Amino acid sequence: MAIISDIQEEQQQKSPQAKSASASASGSASSSSSGARVAATSFSTKFDRNNTSGFLEKAFEFLAQESDFMRRPTAERDLVAVFKAVREKERKKMEEERKKRWAEEEKTKKKEAEAKAKEEAEAEPKPVVEEKKKDKEVEAPKAVAEEKSGKRVPNKGNGLDMEKYSWTQSLQEVNIIIPVPAGTKSRDIVYEAKKNRLKFGLKGQPLIIDGELFQSIKPDDCLWSIEDQTAVSILLTKHNQLEWWKALLKGDPEIDTQKVEPEPSKLSDLDSETRQTVEKMMFDQRQKQMGLPTSEEMQKQEILKKFMSEHPEMDFSKAKVQ
């Protein structure tokens, strides 16, 4: 763990002073002093998946006890840097797994298409008019639904595949994947993220993304990286982490957020407190989409009803819940 190594580094910085002091002593004292170097302090505790905050608290207590790390003016910034580095590593891992799954799916589809083509070639020719008719009949309801609502069905990542890029989202973040020419370097990138606006492109070329974001972001918590020198990944942290975005930029085609499918399996990986918060956010989002009161509004209504029952002599005809 990067933080534990800071403690070891401090202890190693102290050892030259001990060597300097022992140089003026006798040979036997020098040998005993070299054998009395401070050993690295080990850290051991149990990790409970349902109480991750408890694990972090013990780690911070260990740092405070064994070093002056927590008293440094840069301690908070260093911890944030470690967190961002670990999160970026995990994001890259997830992206690599997604690409791997996509490649495997494409490979499987290709094999199935080849096998089907072989079977059709060996069999007698069949009229394709009826098959095309069936395909149109299947696609028709979907096209009609999109035409009526004016909104598109989201992709597997709850975003939308555009002509020059694709974007996905969770309640907390938006991830954008932009294909770029092979061998693209960081110096070739034009990137600017503000609270309500995003710019991205390659130097000497028209911008690929340039517009007002659908909702505001936290620019200091956003980052971008080049993936395999063939694509750029941009991670935007939402300012409002209670709602799904209907589009990346204002004026872009919008998705139907009622058809967004969050991954419920990931809720089991969260501790009980965080899971309750996420479930509450998802519930409130569904309530808003249906025009119903959120959990907070329902709680206020219950308090008002209770107060009204306790004070029947008062007139609540003009009372409103805000």
Side-chain angles (χ1 to χ4, degrees):
M1 192 171 182
I3 300 174
I4 304 302
S5 65
D6 290 344
I7 303 173
Q8 297 174 351
E9 185 178 350
E10 291 175 3
Q11 294 170 346
Q12 291 172 358
Q13 291 173 352
K14 294 178 182 178
S15 60
Q17 299 176 0
K19 288 181 180 179
S20 176
S22 62
S24 61
S26 63
S28 59
S30 176
S31 62
S32 63
S33 174
S34 62
R37 292 176 182 175
V38 179
T41 306
S42 61
F43 171 68
S44 177
T45 187
K46 291 183 178 180
F47 176 69
D48 184 359
R49 294 173 66 90
N50 295 324
N51 187 19
T52 53
S53 57
F55 174 83
L56 292 174
E57 184 177 354
K58 288 185 180 295
F60 294 151
E61 289 177 353
F62 175 82
L63 282 175
Q65 180 178 352
E66 298 297 334
S67 73
D68 64 344
F69 180 83
M70 303 301 287
R71 294 190 294 274
R72 297 177 188 175
T74 61
E76 184 175 350
R77 185 180 61 193
D78 294 343
L79 289 173
V80 172
V82 171
F83 169 77
K84 288 185 176 181
V86 173
R87 185 175 66 173
E88 172 63 11
K89 184 177 179 182
E90 182 66 16
R91 187 196 63 77
K92 287 185 177 181
K93 179 181 177 183
M94 292 175 64
E95 184 63 23
E96 289 176 359
E97 291 177 352
R98 185 187 68 81
K99 291 181 179 179
K100 185 177 179 181
R101 289 196 303 269
W102 180 83
E104 291 176 352
E105 290 176 358
E106 290 297 316
K107 188 176 180 181
T108 302
K109 289 179 180 179
K110 185 177 179 181
K111 287 183 178 180
E112 291 176 351
E114 290 175 352
K116 185 177 180 180
K118 186 178 179 181
E119 290 178 359
E120 291 177 351
E122 294 174 352
E124 294 181 1
K126 297 180 181 180
V128 296
V129 177
E130 291 297 325
E131 292 182 2
K132 289 184 178 179
K133 185 177 179 181
K134 289 181 180 179
D135 291 340
K136 289 182 179 180
E137 289 175 353
V138 172
E139 293 175 357
K142 180 179 177 181
V144 170
E146 289 186 358
E147 185 178 349
K148 287 183 177 179
S149 63
K151 298 179 180 179
R152 300 187 181 182
V153 177
N155 58 23
K156 292 183 179 180
N158 297 323
L160 197 61
D161 298 325
M162 308 295 287
E163 182 180 355
K164 295 184 179 180
Y165 61 89
S166 65
W167 64 277
T168 59
Q169 65 174 322
S170 64
L171 281 172
Q172 295 80 28
E173 299 171 335
V174 174
N175 189 33
I176 310 169
I177 300 296
I178 310 163
V180 294
T184 298
K185 306 293 184 182
S186 299
R187 60 176 176 269
D188 302 323
I189 301 299
V190 176
Y191 168 83
E192 183 181 15
K194 295 183 178 180
K195 183 179 179 181
N196 295 299
R197 194 170 187 86
L198 178 65
K199 289 184 180 181
F200 176 85
L202 300 176
K203 289 183 178 179
Q205 299 182 25
L207 292 173
I208 298 173
I209 299 176
D210 182 17
E212 185 179 357
L213 293 166
F214 186 76
Q215 289 190 16
S216 60
I217 60 172
K218 300 177 181 179
D220 293 339
D221 293 338
C222 300
L223 50 91
W224 64 270
S225 62
I226 299 178
E227 306 290 344
D228 301 327
Q229 294 186 339
T230 58
V232 172
S233 174
I234 302 177
L235 185 68
L236 306 178
T237 301
K238 295 181 180 180
H239 188 271
N240 180 0
Q241 300 186 348
L242 297 174
E243 297 182 1
W244 298 101
W245 284 16
K246 295 180 180 179
L248 177 64
L249 303 177
K250 290 184 177 180
D252 280 358
E254 295 187 358
I255 63 171
D256 187 352
T257 54
Q258 293 185 0
K259 296 182 179 180
V260 165
E261 297 180 0
E263 300 181 25
S265 58
K266 291 188 177 181
L267 292 176
S268 59
D269 297 335
L270 304 174
D271 60 82
S272 57
E273 183 177 354
T274 305
R275 184 167 62 250
Q276 289 176 1
T277 302
V278 173
E279 288 175 347
K280 177 181 177 295
M281 288 163 47
M282 294 174 64
F283 171 80
D284 290 343
Q285 179 66 18
R286 289 194 298 268
Q287 291 290 100
K288 286 183 178 180
Q289 292 174 355
M290 295 185 292
L292 299 175
T294 63
S295 56
E296 184 177 354
E297 291 171 345
M298 292 169 64
Q299 185 178 7
K300 289 180 179 179
Q301 289 176 357
E302 289 297 324
I303 294 174
L304 179 60
K305 287 180 181 179
K306 184 178 179 181
F307 186 79
M308 290 171 63
S309 62
E310 293 175 351
H311 301 276
E313 73 282 358
M314 299 179 65
D315 181 14
F316 296 93
S317 58
K318 296 183 180 180
K320 294 183 179 180
V321 178
Q322 297 181 349

